[in-house]
Amino acid sequence: MKIFAYFVRDDEIEYFDNWAKQHPEVEVEYTSEILTLDNVARAKGADVINTMLMPVTAEIIAELSSYGINIITTKNVGTDNIDFDAARKYGFKISNVPSYSPNAIAEHAVMQILRSLRQAKVVDARILTHDLRWAPTIGRELRMQTVGVIGTGNIGRVVIQILQGFGAKVVAYDLYRNADIETQGLYVDSLEELYRQADVISLHVPGVPANDRMINADTIALMKDRAVLVNVSRGNLVDTNAVLAALDSGKLAAFALDAYEAETGVFNADWRDRPFPDARLAAMLERQDILVTPHSAFYTDKAVEEMVTKSLDNGLLYMQGETPASNIPV
């Protein structure tokens, strides 16, 4: 049995090697290269392709099929990078890793809430100039805030636990209610009710079409004045121009984002010696009321370990004739 992995980063190698030592019956090879039609032939002889995020086109799938490969395991949640029509045509099996250390993302969200409430970007910039005065950059205490958590899946529930540890009042909304959160009486009946109550709003829902631009001019108008918005989920949840307008008017006090609607090709790249490709994002990076991180909320050693090991476990199960729990119907 053999697994060939593409786009293996240096921080993942330890976990690939550890897994291979624990499964001597499986040959594991990997490359740092992104899977393309030019290098797909490197996978010849493998039973499973392991990859992440980058496009798996119809042409690549056809080529893999010609080598007798019909299994793709991804290290991430999303599979919209895979041509499912081609996968269906060639009889492929596909799995993802739907949950990896929800604590990593939840902790990042709460960190950005705290940094926004304490105007950390303003303070940091002033300290770098050796201005060590306190005023006028006064903060807000998290325990005094009502935090609206939209989405109470694995990540949203951890966010709630952390917020409760700080003493914050939490209100929550989800179409599919969690029994424990229901028992605690945290749910409100509508997003409108959450918007009207919350001093801070944290998004933890998927980027499905129904949620596209759920944060827009109309929904922002329902929010409390000087609310803080945090998005560590998907960029398409937010109408960025509407948020910028709300920041300019003072309706919103701060915006923290780890996902951006135009992030593809921009995030996870070094632009220090090249022209920056997104003028709007460049302006956002300069603003003191916006905190930007480059879709890195997930990026902890524990999360990386789980992404690697779970995706390799899925590959082994397929090769053994079993179906992983995270199999994606094709």
Side-chain angles (χ1 to χ4, degrees), residues 100-130:
Y100 44 85
S101 188
N103 296 66
I105 299 168
E107 289 177 9
H108 189 91
V110 176
M111 175 183 73
Q112 295 297 67
I113 290 171
L114 287 164
R115 295 188 72 227
S116 297
L117 291 174
R118 298 305 291 260
Q119 300 189 64
K121 194 170 181 180
V122 179
V123 174
D124 290 347
R126 206 168 60 230
I127 288 173
L128 288 174
T129 69
H130 296 178

Side-chain angles (χ1 to χ4, degrees), residues 38-268:
D38 291 333
N39 64 19
V40 66
R42 294 193 62 176
K44 284 183 179 179
D47 302 285
V48 175
I49 294 300
N50 181 288
T51 188
M52 180 178 180
L53 294 174
M54 300 305 171
V56 183
T57 64
E59 293 79 10
I60 290 173
I61 288 173
E63 194 69 16
L64 289 171
S65 180
S66 74
Y67 307 151
I69 302 170
N70 69 343
I71 300 170
I72 298 173
T73 63
T74 69
K75 293 177 286 188
N76 51 285
V77 178
T79 54
D80 54 350
N81 58 306
I82 299 172
D83 189 318
F84 270 78
D85 289 336
R88 191 176 305 111
K89 175 181 177 181
Y90 290 99
F92 269 68
K93 299 174 183 177
I94 297 170
S95 71
N96 67 345
V97 180
S99 177
Y100 44 85
S101 188
N103 296 66
I105 299 168
E107 289 177 9
H108 189 91
V110 176
M111 175 183 73
Q112 295 297 67
I113 290 171
L114 287 164
R115 295 188 72 227
S116 297
L117 291 174
R118 298 305 291 260
Q119 300 189 64
K121 194 170 181 180
V122 179
V123 174
D124 290 347
R126 206 168 60 230
I127 288 173
L128 288 174
T129 69
H130 296 178
D131 181 351
L132 303 184
R133 293 173 295 174
W134 309 329
T137 316
I138 195 165
R140 289 190 262 172
E141 295 181 29
L142 182 51
R143 69 187 178 95
M144 304 300 294
Q145 311 304 308
T146 296
V147 183
V149 177
I150 302 177
T152 56
N154 292 327
I155 297 168
R157 293 198 302 275
V158 177
V159 169
I160 290 171
Q161 292 170 4
I162 297 171
L163 291 170
Q164 290 173 325
F166 278 93
K169 177 183 177 181
V170 176
V171 293
Y173 179 82
D174 200 311
L175 287 173
Y176 308 99
R177 295 189 171 191
N178 173 267
D180 179 56
I181 304 302
E182 182 85 84
T183 299
Q184 294 182 57
L186 301 183
Y187 283 117
V188 293
D189 293 328
S190 68
L191 281 172
E192 290 77 8
E193 188 176 349
L194 183 145
Y195 293 144
R196 294 186 190 281
Q197 290 189 34
D199 301 292
V200 179
I201 295 168
S202 192
L203 304 177
H204 302 284
V205 294
V208 296
N211 293 333
D212 192 59
R213 297 197 171 190
M214 62 185 296
I215 304 299
N216 54 58
D218 292 335
T219 54
I220 292 170
L222 299 173
M223 297 177 189
K224 295 176 72 170
D225 291 343
R226 306 299 292 163
V228 171
L229 176 65
V230 176
N231 180 21
V232 298
S233 293
R234 290 292 181 266
N236 71 305
L237 302 178
V238 173
D239 181 338
T240 304
N241 288 336
V243 169
L244 291 173
L247 290 168
D248 289 339
S249 71
K251 176 66 176 178
L252 291 179
F255 177 40
L257 66 102
D258 188 60
Y260 173 55
E261 58 187 334
E263 70 182 55
T264 303
V266 180
F267 281 3
N268 198 31

Side-chain angles (χ1 to χ4, degrees), residues 267-286:
F267 281 3
N268 198 31
D270 186 351
W271 298 100
R272 285 177 294 181
D273 299 317
R274 296 183 285 165
F276 198 76
D278 186 323
R280 180 177 64 176
L281 181 58
M284 292 167 67
L285 293 172
E286 297 297 322

